[in-house]
Amino acid sequence: MAKDKIAYVCSECGQESAKWIGRCPNCGKWNTFKEIRIAADTGTMAARSAAQTLNAHRSLHETSARPLRLRDIAATEDPRIDTHDTELNRVLGGGLVPGSIVLLGGEPGIGKSTLTLQTILHMPDINILYVSGEESQHQIKMRAERIGGSQCTMDHITLLCETSLENIFACIKEVKPQLVIIDSIQTISTEDAESSPGSVTQIRECASSLLRFAKTSGIPVILIGHITKEGSLAGPKTLEHIVDAVIQFEGDQHYMYRILRGIKNRFGSTSELGIYEMEQNGLKLVSNPSELLLTEDHEGLSGIAISAAIEGVRPFLLETQALVSSAAYGTPQRSATGFDQRRLNMLLAVLEKRVGFKLMQKDVFLNIAGGLRVTDMAMDLSVIAAVLSSNVDTPIEAGWCMCGEVGLSGEVRAVSRIEQRVAEAEKLGFTDIVMPAYNLKGFNPHKYHIHLHPVKKVEEALRTLFG
């Protein structure tokens, strides 16, 4: 029998070493090397057996064992599996790819299991195996009845409450599913590793075995994982390298909105965004988030600006809130929620240097309404407008929105997909939009009934908004 080996792996970046090192030479983190036990090659025998049983009439595992020239490989793409969830399909790039392994992460209680169970309840044409290592069968049944109700059939879902990887593969051989759900990967353990479930060794070994099973059988696997206090996925960094797609379910538990964001995707874009609304009977798809995010009437209130933002391919309007007040202590505070704080500091410096407004001794608080976190550079103009509106205590007129990236010299730079932003603003009833003048090239303003206000510098934009 082959002897097991001992190695050390960095929990942050996955760097391996033959001995323990205090500081990782790859990522520079201290005390991140954990001891792992590398078992003999028997660790993947269960995965191979399950895949070969399911592929008895297929040649996928046979062709993958021998090398082929690139020109001899068929370029036919397998059709994706429709999840019947437009938001999830958008983030995945069109649906589940056969043989892919997807990692769904999020904070405890954010709704990962609810999202997964709600999705598979609406896939009656797919035979699904749902493996739960955290909840009992009775708990999952109660949630399924609350989410799906009587209109959803449950005949296509097989439920298994198990934490042993070997028993899971034995059940897969018996059930022969077309989709496997593991909830969660931190609770699964294998006999080939002696450490406890959730450790670096167990997560790495179990994920590798599930990866081998998915690639050799062509059956997609969805892993549900927890995140740490720092906001990263629990377990070694190699877990994110192993999987094909990493999607994160995030949002403030005090808000009703949930965001599904793609972090890594080998089969699609990582800039897509899915938005849900948490309700009593599950998650509701938000097809038009602008209407929900702009429901409040803030006419006559200062420090509020509306921005036409784009996440992925979806345009929507966001409400930017700012509060500027005199610093009560010696050091002024800078706080941003839903926006990059370093970029906020840069925009405040531009506002002070290029426009002449002194904000050095004032506290500045910024918030993106609805609990959203956006990365679109076109938010810069609305951030500056909201800060100035609060500073001079002058509200922005109702019906005005804006978009534009602000450079260090105070210029308003062009943004992408200006037609979609203008069309979204017009659809929601806005009458005026402040936009970069450089976006007028090739743009037909006669197609829209909204008034366009092209600007080249921040001073022009503020003069247009406040007179």
Side-chain angles (χ1 to χ4, degrees):
M1 183 177 178
K3 185 179 179 180
D4 297 343
K5 298 180 180 179
I6 299 297
Y8 296 87
V9 62
C10 176
S11 60
E12 292 290 333
C13 65
Q15 176 76 18
E16 293 186 8
S17 174
K19 61 180 181 180
W20 186 86
I21 305 176
R23 184 174 184 268
C24 177
N26 186 32
C27 64
K29 300 290 185 179
W30 286 89
N31 298 324
T32 56
F33 274 88
K34 308 295 182 182
E35 179 181 333
I36 66 170
R37 175 175 172 267
I38 303 177
D41 200 29
T42 57
T44 57
M45 292 301 295
R48 291 178 179 175
S49 176
Q52 290 175 358
T53 302
L54 294 171
N55 283 325
H57 59 284
R58 298 169 62 182
S59 59
L60 177 61
H61 67 283
E62 297 175 356
T63 57
S64 60
R66 58 188 180 87
L68 292 175
R69 292 187 181 274
L70 185 60
R71 66 186 181 190
D72 298 333
I73 300 176
T76 57
E77 184 178 354
D78 293 334
R80 294 178 181 248
I81 300 175
D82 186 11
T83 62
H84 301 284
D85 186 326
T86 56
E87 302 295 305
L88 182 58
N89 283 341
R90 177 186 291 111
V91 176
L92 291 174
L96 280 171
V97 176
S100 64
I101 180 167
V102 179
L103 177 60
L104 172 62
E107 296 179 356
I110 203 68
K112 302 182 297 296
S113 301
T114 302
L115 173 64
T116 307
L117 187 59
Q118 176 178 300
T119 301
I120 63 177
L121 283 172
H122 294 86
M123 301 171 63
D125 51 343
I126 302 294
N127 186 19
I128 300 171
L129 175 63
Y130 188 97
V131 181
S132 176
E134 298 179 343
E135 298 178 288
S136 65
Q137 296 176 343
H138 180 66
Q139 289 176 309
I140 299 175
K141 174 66 174 180
M142 291 176 57
R143 178 186 290 135
E145 292 179 345
R146 175 174 59 86
I147 295 174
S150 58
Q151 67 271 19
C152 294
T153 177
M154 304 180 187
D155 298 335
H156 62 291
I157 300 176
T158 302
L159 184 59
L160 174 65
C161 295
E162 182 61 63
T163 58
S164 172
L165 185 65
E166 288 74 18
N167 294 340
I168 292 173
F169 282 130
C171 182
I172 289 176
K173 292 173 62 176
E174 178 183 353
V175 177
K176 298 181 176 58
Q178 299 170 282
L179 174 63
V180 178
I181 312 290
I182 305 294
D183 184 10
S184 65
I185 186 62
Q186 280 83 14
T187 61
I188 306 300
S189 61
T190 176
E191 298 175 356
D192 297 325
E194 296 179 351
S195 56
S196 59
S199 62
V200 172
T201 307
Q202 289 287 0
I203 293 177
R204 178 173 175 168
E205 293 296 326
C206 293
S208 299
S209 299
L210 290 168
L211 172 68
R212 180 182 293 272
F213 162 75
K215 298 303 180 184
T216 54
S217 66
I219 296 175
V221 178
I222 297 179
L223 306 178
I224 298 178
H226 303 298
I227 64 173
T228 60
K229 294 180 179 179
E230 293 78 17
S232 59
L233 286 162
K237 198 67 175 179
T238 51
L239 178 62
E240 299 182 38
H241 300 322
I242 286 174
V243 300
D244 296 312
V246 180
I247 54 179
Q248 188 158 328
F249 203 46
E250 58 190 35
D252 194 336
Q253 295 187 6
H254 301 288
Y255 285 93
M256 66 183 76
Y257 303 113
R258 298 290 185 269
I259 310 262
L260 191 64
R261 191 185 304 271
I263 300 177
K264 170 190 174 182
N265 194 350
R266 289 174 179 162
F267 310 109
S269 172
T270 57
S271 60
E272 294 299 338
L273 200 70
I275 301 180
Y276 297 84
E277 184 180 3
M278 178 65 76
E279 295 183 347
Q280 182 66 27
N281 56 350
L283 293 163
K284 176 185 176 183
L285 305 181
V286 179
S287 58
N288 190 1
S290 300
E291 294 182 351
L292 293 177
L293 297 174
L294 299 177
T295 53
E296 300 291 337
D297 185 12
H298 297 290
E299 186 175 357
L301 300 179
S302 62
I304 295 175
I306 307 300
S307 175
I310 283 186
E311 288 288 334
V313 297
R314 165 187 289 182
F316 53 90
L317 301 187
L318 288 173
E319 181 181 302
T320 305
Q321 301 174 347
L323 176 62
V324 180
S325 62
S326 299
Y329 304 99
T331 304
Q333 301 182 57
R334 302 285 190 264
S335 177
T337 303
F339 191 77
D340 188 5
Q341 185 166 344
R342 293 174 299 180
R343 192 158 188 85
L344 172 62
N345 294 331
M346 185 202 77
L347 295 175
L348 294 178
V350 171
L351 193 59
E352 184 165 344
K353 177 73 174 180
R354 305 299 179 185
V355 186
F357 286 92
K358 303 301 181 182
L359 301 172
M360 187 179 303
Q361 298 300 325
K362 294 189 176 182
D363 295 336
V364 179
F365 303 95
L366 184 72
N367 177 48
I368 306 299
L372 301 181
R373 180 173 60 87
V374 293
T375 57
D376 189 6
M377 296 297 182
M379 295 281 298
D380 292 352
L381 198 57
S382 66
V383 170
I384 285 183
V387 169
L388 184 58
S389 172
S390 177
N391 185 42
V392 299
D393 199 17
T394 301
I396 298 175
E397 293 184 19
W400 283 67
C401 65
M402 62 209 71
C403 63
E405 179 184 353
V406 177
L408 291 179
S409 61
E411 80 278 13
V412 180
R413 303 174 61 88
V415 296
S416 61
R417 301 175 189 169
I418 187 64
E419 295 88 356
Q420 294 178 263
R421 301 175 194 267
V422 174
E424 181 74 10
E426 183 181 2
K427 183 177 68 173
L428 292 176
F430 283 82
T431 58
D432 299 83
I433 181 170
V434 181
M435 56 178 286
Y438 301 100
N439 278 120
L440 289 178
K441 297 180 180 180
F443 181 77
N444 184 13
H446 302 291
K447 295 193 305 182
Y448 307 99
H449 300 289
I450 188 173
H451 297 290
L452 305 179
H453 301 273
V455 294
K456 292 184 178 181
K457 294 184 178 181
V458 175
E459 297 95 319
E460 297 181 31
L462 298 180
R463 196 179 303 115
T464 302
L465 289 170
F466 300 102

